[in-house]
Amino acid sequence: MLIKLAWKSTLNRKASVALTLVTIAISVMLLLSVERVRQDAKSSFANTISGTDLIVGARTGDIQLLLSSVFRIGHANNAVQWQSYEYIKAQRGVAWSIPISLGDSHKGFAVLGTDASYFSHYQYAKKQHLTFTAGRPFHNGQEVVLGAMVAKKLGYQLGQKIVISHGMGNTSFHHHDDNPLVISGILAATGTPVDKTLHVPLSAIESMHSSGHSKPSRMVARKQDATHHEHEHEHEHEHEHEHEHDSKNNSALLHNLDSKPGDLIGSTKQITAFLLGFESPLYTLQVRRNINQYKGEPLLAIMPGVTLRELWEMLDIVEKILLLITLAVVLISLLGMLTSLLATLNQRRRELAILRSVGARPWHIFTLLISEAIFITVLGCAFGVALFYTLLIAAQSGLQSQFGVVLSISALSTYELTLLSVIIGAGTLIGAIPAARAYFYSLADGMQIKT
């Protein structure tokens, strides 16, 4: 009976209760969203590379090397000589190696030069290998393999020809129009930077950057400028030119897809970095020490897992600040509920006195008011969870495409349920304050009419 009475009393104060519900719901949504993004961001970064023991590049900071080589964030200051790569990959215990060459782009997406070992040994998440939704790996220096997001966003299909540009991001200084590449494969989605990358053979990178193409004449420069504007026009109209070009040269493109394997390395002299996997973990520390002391050129070898932990330690203060801000918002919303209950308590003194006069005991009054606080808190948490999942669905694609963070739309975790339990418990404690005041109200004080 008391619970039913508390529920009807709550519904009777719709305006104040609705405002309190909204503030609690928004605070709960913010708290759960911050925690889910924080956890999924860590998971997305950790899942980007798996099974790789060492990342080797020119000597720079550990985090800078990790971000530039794996996450395509920032730029490598120096390159690694091909002779050094050949020497290190021949060391005892090295099971496989993957060369990486960065510095080019296509319509804002990074271009990565590598060889066939990339598709055989690169792993993500829990040691999952790359798979193809269409096509196959590149066979020669005239082919390119697209990440899932590149193919989807640009609307590319197998057999189309594309042009690579020199320069990262949306800033391109030179378009390699004389070296168009044919799309030979499209990778399955991984939720990592691989999805936003175009993969080409090292020989293609070397061919584009050969002396014959590195210094174009004025006439060619004008042609590049015209091509640059043309590509911008294509981007605005969903790349209609590529589709028309594909339809006009369909027979030639099919012939290229059936082409025989060719040289994937060419006369490559430098690369940005390379990945190493070892036959046994015992070799990792030994080879890492040898690389860091390598006399041929200044090199740096990092362990991806260790460097990722260092990265999150740097961001730990930011995580704590965000958590404190969201907790402060939750506390403010609960204090708002307390203010509302205390403000209406003085107006309800006659109502409570009538209940006492018909036989209600002081603990009945206490239970009634604390039940109302629990109802408001629980309903606010429920609405907050609904807003949380709505926000997840709305922001999922944007966060994945812009930042590579894959939000998991799953049931609330144990930690998230614990946070909700703490909020409900805090709401109960705050509701006990006006309930305790009502407990000590006397019948005569409630029936007295004050002037």
Side-chain angles (χ1 to χ4, degrees), residues 304-364:
V306 175
T307 307
L308 271 175
R309 284 193 293 271
E310 294 177 359
L311 175 63
W312 288 117
E313 288 176 1
M314 290 178 57
L315 299 176
D316 184 60
I317 183 65
V318 179
E319 295 180 12
K320 290 181 179 179
I321 291 174
L322 287 175
L323 180 60
L324 288 176
I325 291 174
T326 52
L327 289 176
V329 173
V330 173
L331 179 60
I332 291 172
S333 65
L334 293 178
L335 290 177
M337 180 182 70
L338 173 62
T339 303
S340 175
L341 291 176
L342 289 175
T344 57
L345 182 60
N346 193 52
Q347 302 173 2
R348 300 176 62 189
R349 294 179 68 173
R350 182 179 296 277
E351 170 193 339
L352 299 178
I354 294 174
L355 291 175
R356 292 285 301 276
S357 66
V358 295
R361 297 184 178 182
W363 68 269
H364 288 141

Side-chain angles (χ1 to χ4, degrees), residues 94-392:
V94 177
W96 52 265
S97 62
I98 301 175
I100 293 175
S101 180
L102 297 167
D104 291 327
S105 65
H106 176 74
K107 301 187 184 300
F109 292 100
V111 173
L112 183 147
T114 185
D115 60 13
S117 60
Y118 181 86
F119 304 104
S120 302
H121 300 294
Y122 188 90
Q123 299 176 3
Y124 67 97
K126 297 181 179 179
K127 295 188 176 181
Q128 297 185 41
H129 289 274
L130 299 175
T131 57
F132 284 79
T133 56
R136 53 164 173 76
F138 45 66
H139 280 175
N140 51 57
Q142 289 76 47
E143 295 179 343
V144 57
V145 173
L146 306 183
M149 190 175 298
V150 178
K152 180 179 179 181
K153 189 170 182 179
L154 300 181
Y156 286 161
Q157 298 178 354
L158 293 180
Q160 286 185 251
K161 285 186 178 180
I162 62 174
V163 174
I164 304 301
S165 303
H166 184 66
M168 296 295 290
N170 292 315
T171 303
S172 300
F173 304 103
H174 179 87
H175 297 286
H176 303 290
D177 302 85
D178 46 357
N179 286 287
L181 301 178
V182 179
I183 300 174
S184 66
I186 298 175
L187 293 169
T190 64
T192 70
V194 173
D195 297 343
K196 299 186 290 184
T197 305
L198 294 85
H199 308 84
V200 302
L202 289 171
S203 58
I205 298 290
E206 182 65 21
S207 176
M208 293 175 190
H209 297 165
S210 61
S211 59
H213 307 294
S214 59
K215 297 180 179 180
S217 62
R218 293 184 178 179
M219 184 176 296
V220 176
R222 293 194 189 100
K223 180 180 178 181
Q224 290 167 1
D225 292 337
T227 306
H228 176 67
H229 293 298
E230 181 182 355
H231 281 294
E232 291 179 349
H233 180 73
E234 290 169 353
H235 182 70
E236 295 173 356
H237 295 278
E238 301 180 354
H239 320 289
E240 296 176 358
H241 177 71
E242 282 89 343
H243 292 289
E244 294 175 0
H245 185 76
D246 177 47
S247 61
K248 294 178 181 179
N249 300 277
N250 186 55
S251 59
L253 297 179
L254 292 177
H255 175 74
N256 288 334
L257 287 179
D258 296 333
S259 61
K260 296 181 180 180
D263 183 17
L264 300 179
I265 305 298
S267 57
T268 300
K269 298 178 181 179
Q270 293 180 333
I271 55 176
T272 304
F274 58 94
L275 313 181
L276 292 177
F278 295 94
E279 298 173 355
S280 170
L282 299 176
Y283 292 106
T284 304
L285 294 178
Q286 178 183 353
V287 175
R288 182 189 181 193
R289 183 176 62 254
N290 295 338
I291 292 174
N292 291 335
Q293 298 175 354
Y294 182 63
K295 296 181 180 180
E297 61 177 314
L299 297 178
L300 175 67
I302 63 172
M303 302 173 68
V306 175
T307 307
L308 271 175
R309 284 193 293 271
E310 294 177 359
L311 175 63
W312 288 117
E313 288 176 1
M314 290 178 57
L315 299 176
D316 184 60
I317 183 65
V318 179
E319 295 180 12
K320 290 181 179 179
I321 291 174
L322 287 175
L323 180 60
L324 288 176
I325 291 174
T326 52
L327 289 176
V329 173
V330 173
L331 179 60
I332 291 172
S333 65
L334 293 178
L335 290 177
M337 180 182 70
L338 173 62
T339 303
S340 175
L341 291 176
L342 289 175
T344 57
L345 182 60
N346 193 52
Q347 302 173 2
R348 300 176 62 189
R349 294 179 68 173
R350 182 179 296 277
E351 170 193 339
L352 299 178
I354 294 174
L355 291 175
R356 292 285 301 276
S357 66
V358 295
R361 297 184 178 182
W363 68 269
H364 288 141
I365 303 299
F366 180 87
T367 305
L368 174 67
L369 283 146
I370 204 170
S371 298
E372 293 179 11
I374 294 174
F375 281 146
I376 295 174
T377 307
V378 171
L379 285 174
C381 289
F383 287 133
V385 171
L387 290 175
F388 164 65
Y389 280 107
T390 302
L391 182 63
L392 280 186

